[in-house]
Amino acid sequence: MTLRELDAAGITDPALRAAYTRCRQLNARHGKTYFLATRLLPVERRPAVHALYGFARWADDIVDDMDTSATPAERAAVLHRLQERLDAGVREGTSTEPVVAAVVDTAARYGIDHRHFTDFMTSMRQDLVVTEYADYAALRRYMHGSAAVIGLQMVPVLGTVVPREEAEPHAAALGVAFQLTNFLRDVGEDLDRGRIYLPSDLLSAHGVDRELLQWSRSTGARDPRITSALRAAASLTRGVYREAVPGVRMLDPVSRPCIRTALVLYGAILDAIDDDGYSVLHRRAVVPRRRRGAVACDGLIRLAAARMRRGVPGPAAAPAPAHTHPVPHRHAAAGVRRSGKERV
């Protein structure tokens, strides 16, 4: 966390500043696209975004990236301890665990409902025992906690020009679209972990099952049935992006460039997958650096225009976070999975 960001956000306590800095490090290491887009937010709102994504990354690491010798039961125990720390932090308004301290502070500052974090942790635990989903409805229930709630957490930070509840379904859809993109891009890596996130009925409609996917992954061989199924998954994902797009204009104008940039960059992952012939079982699709740079530049131009319309000369003079339509948090002291595995 830069000192300018912390100062602009009014975060003065040394321990809390260190906690937010830790979250920023987690976000920078794991989420290149998210981190790049966050740079387009007003400076005083960035610490909150780093806290939310830092917490999500930390929990996701427990599920997937902890010592590979850890059993599901051991991972579940660590998640349980994290849930206890989070619950205690919400009750007490602080925590000795830095990442929890930052996310609790963010939830309190922006009135983020604690239920979103509870739902997120529920999906994290589900990842330890569920290895596939029968249909899209079942997958969507999982993604409510693993992805949709991340979008819902972000809405108060971004601010809206409509009642918050009007923007929330679109924000939730964007979180789901991002995660579906990750599922498609990472299908080979997830298969190595024993998981398949593409709906079983979608795969079977194209003659694909776990055995065929594993055969293709292990041999490097292609099969037209797999390509057809993956193309259908991409089409499904693009449909969810269409659900999300109207929400961008519902946001505070100075927040729109950030979310539009993330949306375009993630959509470009689908394009890269298509351009690579849906070879995701064999290699990771990557958005070209030039494309990423062009999108980021466009975001900067849009941000400058938004600031001029608002009469804000630059990031250092940006106003404190304001909620056009605030919703008070239920608890005065209270105040995210694969949001997803974003290593673009």
Side-chain angles (χ1 to χ4, degrees), residues 45-61:
R45 304 189 199 186
R46 296 175 197 169
V49 177
H50 291 314
L52 294 173
Y53 278 104
F55 178 80
R57 297 311 324 165
W58 190 33
D60 195 58
D61 283 349

Side-chain angles (χ1 to χ4, degrees), residues 23 41 55 63 69-70 97 118 121 173 181 187 196 201 229 231 248 257 261 263 272 325:
C23 291
L41 277 178
F55 178 80
V63 172
S69 65
E97 169 51 56
T118 300
M121 294 299 293
T181 303
V187 63
I196 299 176
D201 63 345
R231 186 175 285 113
V248 176
T261 296
L263 192 156
H325 299 275

Side-chain angles (χ1 to χ4, degrees), residues 55-80 82 120-130 133 142 146 179 190 193-195 197 336-338 341 343:
F55 178 80
R57 297 311 324 165
W58 190 33
D60 195 58
D61 283 349
I62 293 172
V63 172
D64 280 339
D65 298 331
M66 200 169 67
D67 180 359
T68 54
S69 65
T71 66
E74 291 168 336
R75 294 173 193 266
V78 177
L79 281 176
H80 180 70
L82 175 57
F120 173 76
M121 294 299 293
T122 297
S123 286
M124 294 302 95
R125 290 190 292 271
Q126 187 172 327
D127 261 329
L128 298 176
V129 294
V130 178
Y133 294 85
Y142 161 76
S146 63
Q179 187 167 65
D190 288 329
R193 298 185 180 98
R195 302 189 196 121
Y197 288 101
V336 174
R337 150 93 191 176
R338 286 184 135 323
K341 281 196 170 342
R343 295 182 292 272

Side-chain angles (χ1 to χ4, degrees), residues 19-298:
Y20 274 99
T21 299
R22 172 60 179 151
C23 291
R24 186 181 191 273
Q25 292 167 345
L26 287 169
N27 195 14
R29 186 170 78 241
H30 288 292
K32 293 181 181 179
T33 298
Y34 294 137
F35 188 75
L36 174 63
T38 300
R39 299 293 297 167
L40 299 175
L41 277 178
V43 64
E44 76 282 352
R45 304 189 199 186
R46 296 175 197 169
V49 177
H50 291 314
L52 294 173
Y53 278 104
F55 178 80
R57 297 311 324 165
W58 190 33
D60 195 58
D61 283 349
I62 293 172
V63 172
D64 280 339
D65 298 331
M66 200 169 67
D67 180 359
T68 54
S69 65
T71 66
E74 291 168 336
R75 294 173 193 266
V78 177
L79 281 176
H80 180 70
R81 290 195 294 272
L82 175 57
Q83 180 75 68
E84 289 181 328
R85 289 178 177 178
L86 178 63
D87 292 341
V90 169
R91 288 194 305 270
E92 299 165 12
T94 188
S95 176
T96 57
E97 169 51 56
V99 177
V100 173
V103 81
V104 165
D105 183 70
T106 290
R109 287 170 182 262
Y110 287 93
I112 299 172
D113 197 318
H114 183 228
R115 289 178 299 178
H116 296 328
F117 299 101
T118 300
D119 290 345
F120 173 76
M121 294 299 293
T122 297
S123 286
M124 294 302 95
R125 290 190 292 271
Q126 187 172 327
D127 261 329
L128 298 176
V129 294
V130 178
T131 59
E132 57 188 69
Y133 294 85
D135 50 36
Y136 183 60
L139 181 64
R140 193 77 185 235
R141 286 191 292 273
Y142 161 76
M143 289 191 295
H144 168 75
S146 63
V149 298
I150 304 297
L152 296 175
Q153 292 167 17
M154 285 285 291
V155 171
V157 179
L158 298 171
T160 61
V161 295
V162 298
R164 187 181 295 178
E165 58 271 19
E166 187 176 337
E168 286 180 334
H170 303 287
L174 188 57
V176 170
F178 287 166
Q179 187 167 65
L180 285 170
T181 303
N182 286 338
F183 288 160
L184 185 58
R185 182 197 61 191
D186 298 341
V187 63
E189 296 175 23
D190 288 329
L191 188 63
D192 292 343
R193 298 185 180 98
R195 302 189 196 121
I196 299 176
Y197 288 101
L198 303 182
S200 297
D201 63 345
L202 181 151
L203 294 174
S204 62
H206 296 270
V208 177
D209 56 17
R210 180 183 289 267
E211 288 69 29
L212 183 62
L213 292 174
Q214 289 177 328
W215 168 81
S216 179
R217 177 70 169 170
S218 62
T219 64
R222 303 286 298 274
D223 188 290
R225 292 171 293 178
I226 295 177
T227 301
S228 178
L230 296 176
R231 186 175 285 113
S235 177
L236 171 67
T237 303
R238 293 188 191 279
V240 182
Y241 276 109
R242 288 192 290 272
E243 295 176 31
V245 166
V248 176
R249 294 196 61 81
M250 298 179 185
L251 300 175
D252 184 336
V254 296
S255 294
R256 293 173 193 169
C258 166
I259 301 306
R260 183 179 284 106
T261 296
L263 192 156
V264 172
L265 284 175
Y266 250 81
I269 296 174
L270 292 180
D271 294 337
I273 291 171
D274 185 68
D275 292 343
D276 197 35
Y278 293 88
S279 300
V280 288
L281 278 167
H282 312 125
R283 55 182 173 268
R284 172 178 285 245
V286 177
V287 179
R289 186 183 300 269
R290 181 176 299 179
R291 169 66 169 154
R292 291 166 56 85
V295 173
C297 287
D298 178 70

Side-chain angles (χ1 to χ4, degrees), residues 249 251-257 260 299 301-313:
R249 294 196 61 81
L251 300 175
D252 184 336
V254 296
S255 294
R256 293 173 193 169
R260 183 179 284 106
I301 293 170
R302 291 175 182 273
L303 176 60
R307 289 187 180 283
M308 288 179 66
R309 285 192 294 270
R310 250 173 94 157
V312 179

